[in-house]
Amino acid sequence: AQTVTQSQPEMSVQEAETVTLSCTYDTSESNYYLFWYKQPPSRQMILVIRQEAYKQQNATENRFSVNFQKAAKSFSLKISDSQLGDTAMYFCAFIGRGDEKLTFGTGTRLTIIP
Amino acid sequence: DTGVSQNPRHKITKRGQNVTFRCDPISEHNRLYWYRQTLGQGPEFLTYFQNEAQLEKSRLLSDRFSAERPKGSFSTLEIQRTEQGDSAMYLCTTGGTGGSYTFGSGTRLTVV
């Protein structure tokens, strides 16, 4: 069974600064996908970024980028030039290729301070 | 616009009552999933459908839970004889393996 661990329950950062959220996972699979999802207060969960394990290049989406270390089973999210709208719960998630179940971490509550 | 509509948004019910939630994907998707999210936790998988067939159920889905997707479009999740431990956010999502998952806004259930 896969596990996803987010060791930072809460983080806060000043607006415009850069912040990194940590995620580690455990799996015996070699082909899988990793995700970061954002859940703003009282709003639906949305996909921030997706990484395919067989791709060595780190995924980027505008201000969001990941540091994917497959050997270390680490998948951190970096948010550059943070904005007030980035305030949310952030969940790291894993799914094995061919599997149907997302496994989520417990989340990191990120607060951007004006 | 989330792409997945869930109703109701909130439901308060007395312990022992039955409740039913509905999930309506705006566009056609073969696969539809239900997750449960308790306070301070990430979502946990409950069950999924491919078209109208329910293909996998989690151990979390006790006998009091039943889910249907009669025409391969919308889906319902029913909880019978609700217990306080059922209080959670119930999330519906569509998508495929390795693809983008579109979540609904969820139904927040409070059992009193």
Side-chain angles (χ1 to χ4, degrees):
Chain A
Q2 294 85 12
T3 58
V4 177
T5 302
Q6 294 180 249
S7 58
Q8 304 153 312
E10 294 187 24
M11 295 186 71
S12 60
V13 66
Q14 294 285 338
E15 190 177 5
E17 291 186 348
T18 295
V19 61
T20 299
L21 279 57
S22 301
C23 173
T24 58
Y25 59 95
D26 190 23
T27 183
S28 57
E29 300 190 39
S30 57
N31 293 321
Y32 49 87
Y33 301 89
L34 293 162
F35 306 85
W36 278 97
Y37 280 92
K38 170 186 177 181
Q39 190 175 40
S42 301
R43 296 185 63 186
Q44 78 271 13
M45 193 169 306
I46 57 174
L47 178 65
V48 175
I49 201 163
R50 170 180 175 266
Q51 175 79 41
E52 299 174 49
Y54 65 88
K55 289 187 177 179
Q56 292 187 339
Q57 186 174 5
N58 290 325
T60 63
E61 287 289 341
N62 300 315
R63 298 182 295 108
F64 299 87
S65 62
V66 298
N67 183 4
F68 174 48
Q69 302 289 328
K70 191 172 183 179
K73 296 180 181 174
S74 171
F75 183 62
S76 61
L77 174 70
K78 186 172 82 172
I79 306 174
S80 303
D81 186 27
S82 56
Q83 301 174 0
L84 297 179
D86 296 332
T87 292
M89 282 291 289
Y90 286 82
F91 292 97
C92 180
F94 169 104
I95 192 166
R97 190 175 178 86
D99 198 2
E100 296 293 340
K101 299 184 294 290
L102 279 166
T103 300
F104 286 86
T106 52
T108 296
R109 183 179 303 278
L110 176 65
T111 302
I112 309 300
I113 303 167
Chain B
D1 183 3
T2 169
V4 177
S5 176
Q6 290 191 248
N7 290 288
R9 290 293 302 273
H10 304 276
K11 178 71 175 178
I12 300 175
T13 190
K14 292 184 178 179
R15 188 176 54 183
Q17 298 293 307
N18 299 343
V19 293
T20 300
F21 313 138
R22 180 173 170 126
C23 170
D24 283 273
I26 291 177
S27 57
E28 286 190 11
H29 284 277
N30 289 339
R31 293 186 174 93
L32 183 147
Y33 308 79
W34 285 97
Y35 284 79
R36 182 174 72 181
Q37 185 179 16
T38 53
L39 200 61
Q41 299 295 319
E44 295 173 291
F45 171 81
L46 290 179
T47 187
Y48 97 95
F49 293 84
Q50 182 160 333
N51 299 315
E52 63 273 11
Q54 187 174 18
L55 296 186
E56 188 172 350
K57 295 195 292 186
S58 161
R59 294 173 300 168
L60 296 174
L61 219 62
S62 74
D63 291 344
R64 297 184 296 105
F65 288 71
S66 62
E68 294 183 343
R69 196 183 184 200
K71 297 184 179 179
S73 56
F74 73 93
S75 177
T76 59
L77 177 67
E78 181 184 14
I79 308 174
Q80 296 182 327
R81 304 181 304 281
T82 52
E83 302 173 356
Q84 286 189 323
D86 298 331
S87 295
M89 176 77 84
Y90 291 85
L91 299 169
C92 177
T93 177
T94 59
T97 303
S100 298
Y101 292 78
T102 301
F103 282 84
S105 297
T107 294
R108 182 170 296 284
L109 173 67
T110 302
V111 181
V112 297

